[in-house]
């Protein structure tokens, strides 16, 4: 397998040894949540006489939190929401989505295997998402991923959201792991820009969520799937064993 190292000026500190911790994005990285998000968003739009947005388009709006999602969805529908009514629409979206968090959501291929691989190897795990923390906890609990994911940082915890570095640094502090001993794994620009700002290597996995971007330019290493992340961990583990 060829690992594409990030370009100069991005996350240049390539992960050359096994990490002590992985910081994992949620939507588009571990789970395909777009069908449930799109259904809830369609309900919000319908109450205002607006046609639903196709799931494929909703996927592109995910990654910056519910507030951004609602604002962009109304703009995409051709009926931009006024600033004074945006909070009500956001609250309605949160309520409707909370009622169907895992009705259609599924784990993405390799997610359970990656968590199991890290758990066996003693690699500590945190989920760092812009989704509200309680929602993330419910979803990860449903799929029996929390634990072993020990720390969950959400976008409603009074911490600046990704792409700011703060949520990653808080996660590392709670895990008790130094930034040079962890990787950020995610599918979106906010993940990798947050990692770069925090001084943490990042691994890009491909998805159709969020804005399209060049993984090789934004991340330290650009891969296709979570299965390839597992392969990378195994390769580095084998190298570490050979040096002993």
């Amino acid at each position: 397998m060829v690992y594409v190292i990030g370009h100069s000026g991005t996350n240049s500190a390539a992960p050359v040894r096994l990490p002590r911790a992985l910081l994992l994005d949620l939507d588009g990285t571990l789970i395909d949540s777009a069908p449930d998000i799109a259904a809830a968003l369609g309900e919000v739009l319908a109450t205002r006489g607006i046609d639903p947005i196709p799931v494929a388009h909703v996927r592109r709006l995910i990654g910056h939190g519910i507030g951004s999602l609602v604002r962009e969805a109304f703009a995409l529908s051709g009926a931009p929401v006024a600033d004074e009514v945006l909070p009500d629409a956001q609250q309605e979206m949160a309520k409707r989505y909370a009622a169907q968090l895992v009705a259609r959501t599924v784990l993405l291929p390799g997610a359970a295997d990656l968590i199991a691989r890290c758990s066996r190897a003693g690699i500590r795990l945190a989920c760092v998402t812009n989704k509200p923390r309680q929602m993330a906890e419910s979803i990860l609990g449903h799929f029996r991923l929390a634990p072993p994911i020990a720390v969950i940082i959400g976008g409603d915890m009074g911490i600046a959201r990704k792409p700011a570095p703060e949520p990653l640094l808080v996660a590392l502090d709670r895990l008790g792991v130094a930034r040079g001993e962890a990787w950020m794994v995610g599918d979106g620009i906010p993940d990798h820009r947050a990692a770069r700002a925090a001084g943490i290597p990042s691994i890009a996995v491909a998805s159709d969520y969020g804005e399209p971007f060049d993984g090789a330019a934004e991340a330290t290493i650009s891969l296709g799937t979570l299965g390839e992340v597992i392969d990378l961990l195994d390769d580095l583990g084998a190298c570490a064993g050979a040096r002993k």
Side-chain angles (χ1 to χ4, degrees):
M1 182 181 300
V2 176
Y3 303 121
V4 182
I5 306 300
H7 296 170
S8 175
T10 65
N11 291 351
S12 58
V16 294
R17 60 181 181 180
L18 278 172
R20 290 186 58 216
L22 291 189
L23 309 182
L24 301 163
D25 175 51
L26 185 58
D27 300 273
T29 299
L30 295 180
I31 61 171
D32 181 10
S33 54
D36 282 325
I37 292 173
L41 183 60
E43 293 172 7
V44 173
L45 294 172
T47 63
R48 293 158 175 81
I50 302 172
D51 291 337
I53 296 172
V55 175
H57 293 173
V58 173
R59 278 194 174 89
R60 290 302 182 191
L61 304 180
I62 295 171
H64 294 277
I66 287 178
S68 174
L69 172 76
V70 171
R71 183 186 305 106
E72 294 299 324
F74 273 92
L76 183 63
S77 72
V81 63
D83 289 342
E84 59 269 21
V85 297
L86 181 59
D88 288 340
Q90 293 169 346
Q91 290 177 12
E92 182 183 353
M93 173 62 191
K95 181 178 179 180
R96 291 181 180 274
Y97 178 44
Q100 52 191 309
L101 283 175
V102 291
R104 307 162 192 83
T105 292
V106 297
L107 286 179
L108 286 167
D113 292 338
L114 175 62
I115 301 305
R117 167 66 176 80
C118 290
S119 184
R120 290 194 303 269
I123 296 172
R124 301 176 188 180
L125 297 168
C127 177
V128 184
T129 175
N130 284 339
K131 184 188 293 293
R133 184 174 187 267
Q134 187 172 2
M135 290 184 179
E137 286 181 338
S138 295
I139 292 169
L140 292 170
H142 172 80
F143 290 111
R144 299 183 180 179
L145 298 183
I149 294 176
V151 171
I152 300 173
I153 304 298
D156 60 343
M157 294 173 59
I159 305 167
R161 298 174 180 171
K162 298 178 297 183
E166 284 82 0
L168 280 64
L169 297 175
V170 170
L172 289 180
D173 182 65
R174 295 187 180 185
L175 289 172
V177 175
R179 67 183 74 187
E181 299 177 312
W183 302 350
M184 177 72 212
V185 179
D187 70 307
I189 288 177
D191 304 315
H192 307 296
R193 294 190 178 171
R196 184 190 315 164
I200 299 169
S202 70
I203 311 296
V205 291
S207 83
D208 55 359
Y209 279 64
E211 318 94 302
F213 69 99
D214 181 354
E218 292 286 346
T220 310
I221 291 180
S222 180
L223 302 176
T225 66
L226 292 176
E228 292 180 21
V229 178
I230 297 172
D231 291 341
L232 175 56
L233 291 171
D234 289 343
D235 289 348
L236 293 175
C239 291
R243 289 196 296 267
K244 291 181 180 179

